[in-house]
Amino acid sequence: MSACFCPTATDNRMERLLVCDCLCDPVVRVLEEERPDYASGNRPLYAVFRDSTATGAFCGLVSPQDIVQHPNWIFADLTEHRDCPSVGPAVEVRRAMTLMNQQGLEALAVLDGPNFVGAVSRQSILETLLKRERLLLLQSRRLNRSLETERNLIRSWSDKLARLHEASRSLLTVLKHTSVQNDLFETGIDALTRLLEARYGAIGILDEAGKLSHFVYTGINAELAQRIGQFPQGRGLLGVVIQDNVSLRLADLSTHASSSGFPEHHPPMKSLLAVPISHQGRVYGRIYLCDKENGEPFSANDEELALSFAYSLSLILDNAREIEEVKQARKSLNYMAHFDALTGLPNRTLLKDRFEQAISHAQRSREKVGILFLDLDNFKVINDTIGHTSGDGLLRAVASRIGRCLRDGDTAARLGGDEFIVMLPDLSEVQDAAKVAGKILESLHSSFDIDRHEVFVSFSIGISVYPDDSRDMEGLLANADSAMYYAKKLGKNNYQFFTPEMNRTAQNYMKLEKHLRRAMEQGELELYYQPQIDVASGKVICMEALIRWFSAELGTVPPGDFIPFAEESGLIVPIGAWVLKTACIQAKLWERAGLPLRVAVNLSSRQFHQVQTAQHARHPLLDAVLDALDVSGLPPALLELEITEGILMRQLDSTMEILNILKHLGVRISIDDFGTGYSSLSYLKRFPIDVLKIDKSFVNDITKDPNDKAIVSAITVMAQQLKLEVVAEGVESTAQMNYLRELRCNYVQGYFFSKPLATSQVLPFLRQRGAETD
């Protein structure tokens, strides 16, 4: 009785396959702020969590296709731009497949309540089905043997066998609802090859003329595939499979005279299993597998399983045309439901969907969302003059120009008529919306050539901002509409904010831009210098150059007001070059006066990451530094360049190359505001750094806050171990100074010694300081 088949819980579950039986392996758990690892050759599914991969909230799944489509996004961006449907572990596979087909997904999250269990995909379902098909065949043979010896169990065994066949067949045929795509064939041949433990495998699908239309393979790398150069053409044995609609199972190919048809550089093969993909006499293609890993020939069991899989594929192909037609119809309906037929821009429905996504992200990041309501000035007159057909052409051309003014994440939509909406997510500052509005207005300065008509147009633009003006789209649209009408009353061809305060802010921003562009020409920029003191000797060893702006019209403009704008607008590049040159010339004057002091100059991210052009043999920043040293004659050792951690972490290779060149010249490199950014120990080891500057936010409460005290102490000890010098910024009291002296901090800087000094104040300060320390 040892061969007797007894029903068990596992056997019963074959009749009703559940999601928990088909979980993907592996699914990599990551945090939402992480980025995909491009260095790895693996392309798994990623499960994204908030706060903790073990206990954090599940955010969604990210597939390799998502990463390819959006290579620069972090996992949070990849999950939040769409819904993440899920199923429970006890849901039937049929329901999961139906949901994937409806949503156009390759995988679903599996959740047990709020807990993430895993993921189920088309591939994992297919692999499970194939494994169960093999188990079914083994169990079927065992049942047949049992029937011969145990006649009293014939009826129950026959019923069980029929149910097992029906369960496996019905589950395999759910795949017929999948449209024909290369990735389906790739998934299938990969799973079948692994299941039968073959080294090579391929699926070839034929078109109506009998030529290959799809060909996918596994077991051959890209380099070898390139050497092979062409796919098997269906001559010889493979041709027999197609022409005669028969399967072949050969233990030794060399014994068959007709074993041709494989390209010249195809890997040598010994055994072959080839089966046709056919249904009701029609042959759609073939599957072939070569050489089992263990060196044994393919078995009859292998052939049955391959034929079963080929039959399932034939069902898919038999229904492919109908499925594709349904897909195209749905795609057309979906496009019509979400896009404007005239311009191709999103309509109100899609705009609302994207607005809700933008709001969700803005709530987390505490940023703003801008809405621009654009109305073409005098469009009715233009339309009546050039005709409605040409008017439609003008609207399409205007939509194109609007699109060229926007970032990738922005949305331009058409509400109808001559009204357009622009949504600007992730706004840090309100005036960023004004900048986009100004760019759009400027783009309309040149005329449009519409059906031999030269047409000039302009926009009146109203701006509202989430959450300042409203927290829902309809409210923001209404407020932006009101602001647009106000813009028309002011003479058209301009933009206005919904609130007076925002208007004033935008006007101040534009005013600042105008005056800053002329500040250098008019000599309004000036350098002040703040000394750095050697803790051990009390002597001044370095002067940090700090820019000040004294405008004839605006008065004194704080650096915190104009430096961010200069960075954003690109003006920081010429300003930064001027600072470098001016500081080096001044340091050379001090050296000639017998006071060889280092001068420290801050570099901005914009300076560091300029694009090198054909006109520059070197990076523009290197040109600026070398020019400053050449003009001034200052020894490179007396120049110190301060950069932030953020600069280091962008474009690592080019950053390291620039720093190594500067270090080779003899220029010193310091990290400003250390501890407030990435604080990665790896870059301290990799980059040629001389100095760490501890941010004043840690120094302020160093005598009262144990956390700040611990941070400053840790940074100092770490720097000493790495043989780096340390500068503590923002020192303002004797207590702070005494504590830093105990830590053996190298240098200090702050109001306790001196505020930033005008050039004329530096020499008197240095002489007084020298007298005090002598």
Side-chain angles (χ1 to χ4, degrees):
M1 296 293 290
S2 59
C4 180
F5 179 83
C6 297
T8 65
T10 301
D11 299 322
N12 290 332
R13 293 181 72 177
M14 285 191 66
E15 301 177 40
R16 183 173 173 270
L17 187 64
L18 305 180
V19 164
C20 60
D21 298 316
C22 303
L23 296 179
C24 300
D25 184 29
V27 177
V28 180
R29 291 173 172 249
V30 295
L31 294 175
E32 62 177 358
E33 64 267 21
E34 294 179 7
R35 293 184 181 276
D37 181 10
Y38 296 101
S40 171
N42 297 324
R43 292 293 182 266
L45 276 174
Y46 292 92
V48 184
F49 295 85
R50 185 176 298 117
D51 300 330
S52 168
T53 57
T55 61
F58 174 68
C59 301
L61 290 177
V62 173
S63 70
Q65 291 83 359
D66 295 331
I67 295 171
V68 170
Q69 291 174 3
H70 307 289
N72 296 319
W73 287 13
I74 62 174
F75 284 111
D77 292 333
L78 291 168
T79 57
E80 70 190 9
H81 77 285
R82 64 155 189 265
D83 294 332
C84 181
S86 63
V87 293
V91 169
E92 290 187 20
V93 166
R94 291 175 184 270
R95 286 182 56 195
M97 286 294 296
T98 299
L99 183 57
M100 280 191 274
N101 291 330
Q102 291 172 347
Q103 300 289 334
L105 300 173
E106 291 301 317
L108 291 171
V110 181
L111 304 181
D112 187 2
N115 299 321
F116 176 77
V117 175
V120 63
S121 68
R122 297 177 190 273
Q123 180 174 354
S124 66
I125 291 173
L126 179 60
E127 290 178 347
T128 302
L129 291 173
L130 290 173
K131 291 176 182 176
R132 294 205 171 199
E133 182 73 4
R134 167 177 266 183
L135 179 61
L136 174 64
L137 293 170
L138 293 173
Q139 290 176 338
S140 297
R141 289 190 176 87
R142 189 172 63 186
L143 281 171
N144 286 325
R145 288 194 301 270
S146 298
L147 284 169
E148 294 177 4
T149 58
E150 301 182 33
R151 297 291 181 180
N152 59 326
L153 295 177
I154 288 178
R155 176 171 294 179
S156 61
W157 288 351
S158 296
D159 290 343
K160 182 65 177 178
L161 181 61
R163 289 197 301 271
L164 289 172
H165 273 297
E166 178 58 29
S168 178
R169 182 62 60 226
S170 63
L171 286 171
L172 278 172
T173 55
V174 301
L175 292 173
K176 70 182 180 181
H177 298 294
T178 304
S179 61
V180 182
Q181 298 290 341
N182 265 9
D183 55 0
L184 170 67
F185 299 136
E186 289 171 359
T187 299
I189 192 60
D190 189 56
L192 184 63
T193 303
R194 288 203 307 270
L195 186 64
L196 299 185
E197 299 176 343
R199 292 186 179 178
Y200 316 111
I203 294 177
I205 305 298
L206 308 178
D207 60 18
E208 295 291 339
K211 295 183 179 180
L212 278 175
S213 61
H214 293 76
F215 187 83
V216 297
Y217 55 87
T218 186
I220 296 176
N221 60 37
E223 182 180 353
L224 181 54
Q226 187 174 9
R227 283 188 59 210
I228 293 173
Q230 65 177 25
F231 301 133
Q233 297 301 303
R235 297 187 297 269
L237 291 174
L238 295 183
V240 172
V241 173
I242 296 290
Q243 294 157 15
D244 296 345
N245 192 14
V246 295
S247 59
L248 291 175
R249 181 161 49 90
L250 304 175
D252 189 353
L253 278 169
S254 63
T255 62
H256 294 265
S258 59
S259 59
S260 61
F262 292 95
E264 178 183 356
H265 297 291
H266 195 287
M269 299 174 297
K270 183 176 182 181
S271 60
L272 172 72
L273 172 60
V275 297
I277 303 171
S278 62
H279 182 66
Q280 296 182 348
R282 178 174 179 179
V283 180
Y284 293 98
R286 78 256 176 173
I287 299 173
Y288 77 84
L289 304 161
C290 305
D291 293 354
K292 300 199 70 167
E293 295 284 355
N294 58 13
E296 297 178 358
F298 291 97
S299 66
N301 190 24
D302 296 332
E303 183 178 341
E304 287 187 46
L305 186 54
L307 281 168
S308 178
F309 177 72
Y311 176 75
S312 296
L313 277 184
S314 72
L315 294 178
I316 296 173
L317 294 165
D318 209 37
N319 289 274
R321 185 172 303 166
E322 180 182 348
I323 296 297
E324 193 64 28
E325 288 175 357
V326 172
K327 273 186 62 178
Q328 290 301 321
R330 288 177 178 171
K331 185 176 180 181
S332 178
L333 289 172
N334 182 68
Y335 184 86
M336 292 170 62
H338 292 91
F339 290 89
D340 172 53
L342 177 63
T343 62
L345 294 178
N347 60 16
R348 182 186 288 266
T349 301
L350 184 54
L351 175 65
K352 184 176 181 180
D353 179 65
R354 292 185 181 179
F355 177 80
E356 289 172 354
Q357 294 180 33
I359 293 305
S360 175
H361 186 264
Q363 288 171 343
R364 284 206 321 273
S365 60
R366 297 183 180 179
E367 293 185 328
K368 301 178 184 294
V369 178
I371 293 291
L372 277 57
F373 197 115
L374 298 80
D375 187 89
L376 276 173
D377 297 327
N378 304 317
F379 178 70
K380 185 178 184 304
V381 176
I382 296 171
N383 205 27
D384 291 343
T385 302
I386 65 176
H388 293 281
T389 301
S390 297
D392 288 347
L394 175 62
L395 290 174
R396 285 191 291 268
V398 167
S400 177
R401 286 200 191 177
I402 293 173
R404 292 198 291 269
C405 297
L406 306 181
R407 304 168 300 177
D408 288 342
D410 300 336
T411 295
R414 179 173 178 245
L415 294 188
D418 59 346
E419 294 179 339
F420 297 85
I421 299 295
V422 169
M423 184 188 73
L424 307 171
D426 304 328
L427 290 183
S428 301
E429 301 294 339
V430 170
Q431 51 263 35
D432 291 342
K435 188 173 182 180
V436 174
K439 191 174 181 181
I440 292 173
L441 292 177
E442 185 178 351
S443 75
L444 299 182
H445 285 172
S446 57
S447 64
F448 292 86
D449 184 10
I450 307 294
D451 297 334
R452 297 193 299 274
H453 297 284
E454 186 180 20
V455 182
F456 291 88
V457 297
S458 64
F459 269 127
S460 293
I461 304 176
I463 306 173
S464 61
V465 177
Y466 168 92
D468 307 61
D469 300 328
S470 179
R471 290 183 173 271
D472 60 77
M473 191 180 84
E474 296 305 323
L476 287 169
L477 286 177
N479 292 337
D481 191 17
S482 298
M484 182 271 294
Y485 278 107
Y486 181 55
K488 283 190 179 292
K489 288 181 181 179
L490 294 179
K492 304 178 182 179
N493 193 29
N494 72 99
Y495 64 84
Q496 295 294 319
F497 280 93
F498 174 65
T499 63
E501 292 79 9
M502 288 185 182
N503 267 322
R504 282 195 293 271
T505 301
Q507 289 164 5
N508 289 338
Y509 185 85
M510 299 304 162
K511 186 177 181 181
L512 187 68
E513 177 184 11
K514 180 181 73 173
H515 288 289
L516 184 56
R517 289 186 183 278
R518 297 185 306 191
M520 279 197 300
E521 299 172 7
Q522 298 178 349
E524 294 179 348
L525 298 180
E526 185 177 340
L527 290 187
Y528 273 47
Y529 299 90
Q530 188 171 32
Q532 294 176 5
I533 311 298
D534 187 317
V535 173
S537 67
K539 293 184 177 180
V540 178
I541 50 88
C542 182
M543 303 295 283
E544 180 179 2
L546 302 169
I547 192 168
R548 297 292 184 264
W549 181 15
F550 303 100
S551 171
E553 295 187 39
L554 304 178
T556 300
V557 184
D561 289 349
F562 72 86
I563 289 180
F565 169 75
E567 178 81 20
E568 179 186 347
S569 64
L571 290 174
I572 197 67
V573 173
I575 290 175
W578 174 84
V579 170
L580 264 171
K581 188 176 296 185
T582 304
C584 287
I585 290 172
Q586 183 58 60
K588 183 63 178 180
L589 293 174
W590 291 332
E591 184 192 30
R592 288 173 179 168
L595 298 167
L597 297 174
R598 288 197 306 272
V599 63
V601 176
N602 290 277
L603 293 181
S604 75
S605 175
R606 196 66 173 263
Q607 286 175 279
F608 220 89
H609 299 297
Q610 298 172 73
V611 177
Q612 187 171 345
T613 64
Q615 288 76 25
H616 292 83
R618 294 181 295 262
H619 189 279
L621 174 59
L622 294 174
D623 278 342
V625 172
L626 290 171
D627 183 52
L629 292 173
D630 290 343
V631 169
S632 65
L634 184 71
L638 294 182
L639 175 60
E640 185 172 299
L641 298 177
E642 297 188 3
I643 57 179
T644 63
E645 297 171 85
I647 293 175
L648 285 179
M649 303 309 290
R650 287 182 55 196
Q651 302 175 8
L652 288 175
D653 292 340
S654 62
T655 299
M656 181 176 294
E657 181 181 0
I658 293 170
L659 290 181
N660 282 329
I661 293 173
L662 292 171
K663 185 67 176 177
H664 182 73
L665 290 173
V667 175
R668 287 166 56 90
I669 308 296
S670 68
I671 304 302
D672 199 14
D673 301 335
F674 184 77
T676 62
Y678 296 87
S679 301
S680 169
L681 298 181
S682 64
Y683 76 68
L684 294 180
K685 180 176 68 174
R686 294 177 59 190
F687 289 98
I689 298 166
D690 299 290
V691 183
L692 298 182
K693 297 191 72 176
I694 303 175
D695 187 70
K696 66 176 296 183
S697 62
F698 300 123
V699 177
N700 285 342
D701 297 323
I702 195 174
T703 59
K704 297 178 290 185
D705 189 328
N707 291 327
D708 285 344
K709 183 179 293 188
I711 290 172
V712 172
S713 177
I715 293 173
T716 304
V717 171
M718 176 189 66
Q720 291 167 353
Q721 293 297 318
L722 294 174
K723 294 183 171 45
L724 300 176
E725 297 173 356
V726 178
V727 177
E729 297 182 290
V731 178
E732 297 181 354
S733 69
T734 302
Q736 292 171 343
M737 183 63 192
N738 289 338
Y739 183 75
L740 292 167
R741 183 179 286 110
E742 291 176 9
L743 291 178
R744 292 190 297 169
C745 177
N746 303 102
Y747 311 118
V748 288
Q749 177 179 346
Y751 277 35
F752 182 69
F753 303 98
S754 173
K755 64 182 181 180
L757 303 169
T759 305
S760 61
Q761 298 173 313
V762 171
L763 286 178
F765 172 82
L766 292 174
R767 292 191 180 102
Q768 179 184 357
R769 189 75 192 175
E772 291 176 356
T773 56
D774 285 344

